[in-house]
Amino acid sequence: MVYMNSKDTVMLFSILIANYNNGHFFKDCYISILNQAYQNWEVIIVDDCSTDDSVEVIKDCIKNDVRFKLFTNPLNKGCGYTKNRCAELARGAIIGFLDPDDTITTDALQIMVEEHKNNPEVAIITSKYDLVDLNLNFKNLGSHGSSIPLGKSYLTFGEGALTAFASFKKEFYVKTANIDYKMKRAVDQDLYYKLEEQGEHLFIDKVLYNYRIHENSISANENLFKAKYWHFYAMINAYERRMKFNLVIDNFTTLQIKKLKSNYYYSRFERSKTRNQFCVKYYFFFKSIIAFPRYKIRYKLKSLFR
């Protein structure tokens, strides 16, 4: 492994791809990697037991190119397990995830490598992204991505600050608890919390990533609600980890974490009302009250009978 000890060192960049049933989009992803201005890279692909022809499509693209390494899970293990396995297999000093249905700009790796070399204290670097359609035609600018104010953290400043394209140094990653293999969604968010606890964050105000919108995108359908649980899970874990180890990084206050829990449980209560889930409805209502008894109590009691 090559660590960041010289600006003249040619660093290996590990591009990590966790795939599940997105093989039909992979060719565009593959071409965007081949077209990189920076050419010292490897690609680690782990297929999570896809039920379509993903493996065959990927093999047909990469053929005998030794820079691409394809692995498969014997059983469907989920996003957290698959991304964790990708990271374990990576040999590069710099690592970045690329979804198989998305692409990166031709200068993405070059810019990331240069910034990592120039900023050895930085653990993670993020950038901006474009939203594109199925044919990679521009639709909109990505709505998230920014720097974080001094004294704040990704956890306390807001969920949308750190976005794709993101890359991180392996030497900082190995100091974390690694990617949570149990997580089904919000895996990147959880990882970003862990990385900012080990080093600094740098934001590049430039589009380096094309995020393709389609029916399987988290932002496009029912997956959005399912992701909320895992976002909540990641935030609570980050709060508790920072408290437990007295980490010198901005954390939620006791009042903020009470509000966070109360609001989350209340959102589950409202959803269960619309789905006529009687027992679930009252369970989450009382969880919301217990989390912060006085918080919006009149509003909550009124909503119970609406």
Side-chain angles (χ1 to χ4, degrees), residues 156-171:
T156 60
F157 178 62
E159 294 179 15
L162 276 62
T163 60
F165 185 43
S167 68
F168 51 96
K169 295 182 178 73
K170 184 70 174 284
E171 61 183 305

Side-chain angles (χ1 to χ4, degrees), residues 55-66:
V55 172
E56 289 73 21
V57 170
I58 293 171
K59 284 181 177 179
D60 186 59
C61 283
I62 66 177
K63 295 184 170 61
N64 296 319
D65 191 334
V66 296

